[in-house]
Amino acid sequence: MIRTIAELRTRLADARAAAPQGTRVALVSTIGALHDGHTDLIRTARESAGIVVVSSFVNPLRFATHAEYEAYPRTPDADAALLERLGVDLVFAPDADELLPAGKATTKVSAGDLGLRYEGRVRPFYFDGLLTVEAQLLNLVRPDVAVYGERDRQRVFLVRRMVRDLFFDVEIVEAETVRSDDGVPISTRLATLDAADRAAAALLPRALEAAASNADRDVDACIAAAQSALMGESRIRLEYLNVVDPATFLPVDEGHQGPALALIAATVGGHRFVDNAEIFVR
């Protein structure tokens, strides 16, 4: 576990010098508490590069309150064992003060108006904090490839846009969402749900399936079908359900035809779940 920026730079330089010329470096950024979804990201990174760097940093800028930040699960021993089994080359796990002295950033990356939509409407601080630390990590590691999961499409879209706008020389690779048998995306939250809440959470991917199945009609039909799949389940508190253009991440225009993304977010058992599905509106 590399704790400081100085050590990261030294170890990265050594790894690059020891590797064959042209060896690529991949970065997988995480906030720890690793699960099967992270395992898939790391395997995707290994397919793309000869040197895999994983960051494990609980970013305080992503949380609304200090209490939420402190409550986030931390499993450093289990994470280290998993990363060793996966053959990760370098693990950057700094303390908060190493990247964010005094727990804040004096210079920030702004997600703009899109950062206040969907997830940003629920957590208006979230994407600015996320992008700020992602920019730091990309600048420190200078990877050839950075791997992100498709489950959080808004994050991926904003990171891609930041990379384009700030001229980071890195390829963004997306890994498919890893799902449990009932279709719910794997996350740290699943283990905290009781049986009834877990059954309710399984309705969220079904709602997305219903949206996709009705995409041959129109966007309103997609949304109505998804809403119908959730009706009667009082354990679900729907936060948003939208169909967006993947090129702009803005709501599709009336009469839209072609590729689109159905986005959903809801609270179940006191935990938030975010998911999405590719659809084709005809």
Side-chain angles (χ1 to χ4, degrees), residues 11-234:
R11 296 283 298 277
L12 264 172
D14 291 344
R16 285 187 165 105
Q21 186 174 5
T23 297
R24 302 214 300 171
V25 175
L27 171 67
V28 178
S29 61
T30 81
I31 56 174
L34 304 182
H35 49 67
D36 288 347
H38 295 108
T39 297
D40 193 61
L41 295 181
I42 293 165
R43 287 174 175 159
T44 299
R46 179 59 72 192
E47 293 170 358
S48 303
I51 299 172
V52 175
V53 181
V54 172
S55 66
S56 179
F57 179 65
V58 183
N59 178 2
L61 302 182
R62 293 172 54 157
F63 297 88
T65 66
H66 185 71
E68 288 182 7
Y69 167 72
E70 291 294 338
Y72 185 80
R74 291 163 170 82
T75 56
D77 293 340
D79 290 354
L82 174 62
L83 295 172
E84 184 175 10
R85 288 198 303 272
L86 293 173
V88 169
D89 298 284
L90 299 173
V91 181
F92 183 44
D95 293 330
D97 285 348
E98 186 71 10
L99 294 186
L100 302 167
K104 60 184 180 181
T106 52
T107 300
K108 296 181 180 179
V109 177
S110 172
D113 292 342
L114 185 56
L116 299 177
R117 291 176 177 266
Y118 322 120
E119 281 300 284
R121 181 168 58 83
V122 180
R123 298 184 284 173
F125 54 88
Y126 175 72
F127 284 115
D128 287 2
L130 184 150
L131 291 180
T132 297
V133 169
E134 290 297 316
Q136 289 179 322
L137 293 170
L138 291 173
N139 186 46
L140 288 169
V141 177
R142 303 292 176 93
D144 301 283
V145 178
V147 181
Y148 298 92
E150 288 183 346
R151 182 177 67 86
D152 193 344
R153 295 269 193 170
Q154 189 174 4
R155 175 194 182 192
V156 177
F157 182 91
L158 289 170
V159 168
R160 281 188 183 278
R161 192 176 69 177
M162 177 187 72
V163 163
R164 180 199 69 198
D165 291 350
L166 300 184
F167 304 104
F168 281 104
D169 187 14
V170 61
E171 175 189 356
I172 303 300
V173 173
E174 296 181 49
E176 290 186 10
T177 302
V178 177
R179 299 181 180 275
S180 56
D181 291 341
D182 56 7
V184 180
I186 297 293
S187 73
T188 55
R189 303 170 183 85
L190 288 187
T192 66
L193 299 181
D194 61 27
D197 285 337
R198 180 62 183 264
L203 293 178
L204 300 177
R206 292 179 196 168
L208 293 174
E209 291 173 3
S213 297
N214 285 270
D216 59 343
R217 296 163 63 190
D218 55 36
V219 172
D220 289 340
C222 291
I223 293 176
Q227 291 172 331
S228 295
L230 304 177
M231 288 183 62
E233 181 47 79
S234 61

